[in-house]
Amino acid sequence: MIQFKKNNITVFQSVLYMTTSAIIQTNEAVIMTDPNWLPTEIEDIKSFINEIRGDKQLYIVYTHSDFDHIIGSGAFPEAKIIASKQFDENPNKEDIMQKIKQFDQGYYLNRSYSPQYPNVDIVVSEDGQKVEFDSFTMTFYQAPGHTNDGLFTVIEPYGLFLSGDYLSDVEFPFIFSNYKDYVNTVNKAENILLNHEITTHVPGHGTTTQNQQEIQKRINSSKYYLEQLPHDNGELERYLSEEYSFFEGMRGIHTDNKKMAEEIL
């Protein structure tokens, strides 16, 4: 379904995990993030792209390599792919593709395309790297912590901040890679707000917002969680259960996060 639509920005939301796919229409190109999840949802996104694209180049920005975020890649063979260097050089590509196969096998899902690990055309290897067009600029920042290959994208002059699996209003931080990296990435997100005129935030899971206080709240919530995590004596669970409606489904992630954070003490 379409979760958010305003001016040249459309955000699709999957029924699974409130996962988002953002689509941005510009004078020169169409940009999309992470096409996902279910076959019918991918077809809806594809139909929308076909309606608006014309002869413009399609770019897909992959925020990271978790299988749910690349599961729609094979449906857009004409797209030019943008992702981090770590994404491009991921040594676990076969394992990720196996997870896609297991998902489709487990739910008896047929797709009109063959899923594939994206071949990256534009590799982001440093913070502040830009892709510039006449009417807009994409600025990229490496965002490790959730995974080691995460990527933030800022699109100007539209004031767009595409944060991948960070700063969600429905998920607390999921630390699958490195605790310290995650802390640094959240601090980087705060600096992005200071250095860019951000008007719209699209998380990889959750709700698109144009409320500045809400964007800052998401950063503050992540910082609070990360600060408390290494010393948590059980109080965080109460906080999480009050703040996140689906905490019971994510309790195991919190337990794993605690183990990872405690290792730094």
Side-chain angles (χ1 to χ4, degrees), residues 5 57 67 89 115 155 185 187 223 232 264:
K5 187 175 179 65
Q57 178 64 52
F67 85 92
E89 298 177 353
I155 304 180
T185 292
N187 290 333
K223 290 177 72 173
D232 179 35
I264 71 169

Side-chain angles (χ1 to χ4, degrees), residues 208-221:
T208 302
T209 184
Q210 294 188 312
N211 184 309
Q212 294 296 313
Q213 290 180 325
E214 172 62 22
I215 298 172
Q216 188 62 52
K217 177 179 182 290
R218 295 176 185 186
I219 291 176
N220 293 342
S221 295

